[in-house]
Amino acid sequence: MASQEAPLPRAVSSSQFVVPSAGQDDGLTVFASARPRLFGIAYRMLGSATEAEDIVQDVWLRWQSTNRSVILNPAAYLATVTTRLCINAATSARARRETYVGPWLPEPVDTSSDPALGAERDEALKLAVLVLLEKLSPAERAAYVLHEAFDYPYSEIAGILRLQEANTRQLVSRARKHVAEGRRTPVSPAEQRRLLGAFLEAAQQGDMAALESLFAEDVTSYADGGGMVRAARVPVSGRQRVAKFIAAVAHFWSGVTVSPVETNGQASILVSRNGAAVALATVDASEQGIEQIMWILRPSKLAAISATRLAKER
């Protein structure tokens, strides 16, 4: 990743952040305080907890090699470095995902202890929204994440992105429009949880009629196996087709353990077989019913959720 990054030190170390100072070095404390926000920015930008951790680690290394005594606003400096590294990483990630095997879904994160993942709001955290943001340019995504999730003012976003303030407003406006056009108004968390439970029961029984009653007319099922495990390589769409597909694979639920988990701020289920996680599933729903069913099957995307759950059970 490092070889594809643009050099940052001169651009980041601007008068916006620095002032001569002989104060004490508080590098670790300052970074630890900012870390949840840095991870939250990186995760929303990249849709991958693993890649977000890599970015945060890179920022830490840069922070260690920076003359911190002259940094006027450490939090702003760290957020700027993080965002610019993410823009570089998102550009290369988009190229990689063009050759991804089957549908790509974000890597889920456990939000049971931090529902907003370091942000003022949980905006741009739901899997369905992250999928929509994936189609934006890296700059649009950055502007949207910083403003809608972290409440950065347009003037500060303009400095981070090295754009005019009017341009940043346009970026956020376009991103908002894209999200609004791509997703109906979601149901409440309680209703989403109820629909997920009803879906699980109907899927386990292979009950096509019950499944159809839960679905919106244009429901779509996405399965991310990444070519590593067997999964549908194209999305399945339409109420009857999805119900038929889910009912046809009812044998999947035989011999598995299903556990409720909270990922990306919403109810999900973790499916394990012989103690190993094999799938994570969640639904996105509106007043019309379940709009999307998202199955994450790729082992590398399940590893962090599985490890977190095991740690909590100890």
Side-chain angles (χ1 to χ4, degrees):
M1 185 180 297
S3 63
Q4 299 179 24
E5 293 165 356
L8 296 175
R10 181 176 298 178
V12 172
S13 298
S14 65
S15 58
Q16 176 184 2
F17 300 114
V18 303
V19 65
S21 172
Q24 289 185 336
D25 179 9
D26 195 23
L28 179 57
T29 301
V30 169
F31 187 85
S33 176
R35 192 186 188 288
R37 169 164 291 204
L38 305 184
F39 179 82
I41 292 171
Y43 175 71
R44 288 168 171 83
M45 282 285 297
L46 303 175
S48 167
T50 303
E51 293 177 17
E53 289 286 4
D54 289 343
I55 290 290
V56 173
Q57 179 64 20
D58 197 349
V59 175
W60 165 248
L61 295 175
R62 289 170 184 251
W63 180 240
Q64 286 296 287
S65 62
T66 297
N67 180 6
R68 295 183 297 279
S69 67
V70 299
I71 302 295
L72 175 63
N73 189 335
Y77 176 91
L78 292 168
T80 297
V81 176
T82 299
T83 302
R84 292 183 186 171
L85 288 175
C86 285
I87 288 175
N88 291 334
T91 301
S92 59
R94 172 173 288 185
R96 292 196 306 272
R97 287 168 190 166
E98 288 177 355
T99 60
Y100 196 82
V101 178
W104 176 90
L105 292 174
E107 179 185 348
V109 288
D110 185 328
T111 51
S112 56
S113 59
D114 182 3
L117 208 67
E120 273 74 14
R121 297 182 291 274
D122 66 0
E123 188 62 37
L125 188 54
K126 302 292 191 296
L127 294 180
V129 176
L130 288 173
V131 170
L132 290 172
L133 295 187
E134 179 72 11
K135 301 184 184 302
L136 300 177
S137 72
E140 287 172 332
R141 189 165 186 162
Y144 182 86
V145 165
L146 291 172
H147 189 269
E148 298 299 295
F150 295 90
D151 205 25
Y152 278 77
Y154 289 111
S155 58
E156 193 167 346
I157 299 172
I160 291 173
L161 300 182
R162 299 177 234 180
L163 296 172
Q164 296 296 318
E165 184 174 333
N167 291 356
T168 66
R169 290 179 181 274
Q170 291 176 353
L171 291 176
V172 174
S173 178
R174 285 201 298 266
R176 280 178 181 155
K177 183 178 179 181
H178 178 74
V179 172
E181 290 176 346
R183 187 174 185 237
R184 297 185 180 115
T185 302
V187 296
S188 68
E191 179 63 3
Q192 188 266 347
R193 191 179 304 109
R194 185 194 72 79
L195 287 169
L196 177 63
F199 166 76
L200 175 61
E201 182 178 355
Q204 289 174 321
Q205 296 175 0
D207 188 336
M208 280 189 61
L211 287 167
E212 287 189 41
S213 71
L214 296 171
F215 294 159
E217 183 64 36
D218 53 355
V219 61
T220 301
S221 175
Y222 301 91
D224 181 346
M228 308 302 292
V229 298
R230 186 176 180 181
R233 295 198 174 188
V234 295
V236 181
S237 299
R239 180 180 289 155
Q240 292 184 341
R241 290 188 65 206
V242 174
K244 183 177 181 180
F245 172 75
I246 298 296
V249 295
H251 60 275
F252 168 79
W253 304 101
S254 177
V256 301
T257 301
V258 178
S259 306
V261 293
E262 181 186 307
T263 60
N264 296 70
Q266 64 187 91
S268 306
I269 53 172
L270 184 66
V271 184
S272 303
R273 181 176 284 113
N274 299 323
V278 295
L280 183 136
T282 191
V283 300
D284 192 60
S286 71
E287 289 184 355
Q288 282 72 38
I290 294 175
E291 304 272 353
Q292 297 181 49
I293 309 163
M294 289 163 279
W295 307 86
I296 296 170
L297 305 166
R298 183 166 181 159
S300 61
K301 292 188 176 183
L302 298 173
I305 294 293
S306 182
T308 300
R309 181 166 183 82
L310 286 173
K312 290 180 178 179
E313 292 175 349
R314 289 172 184 166

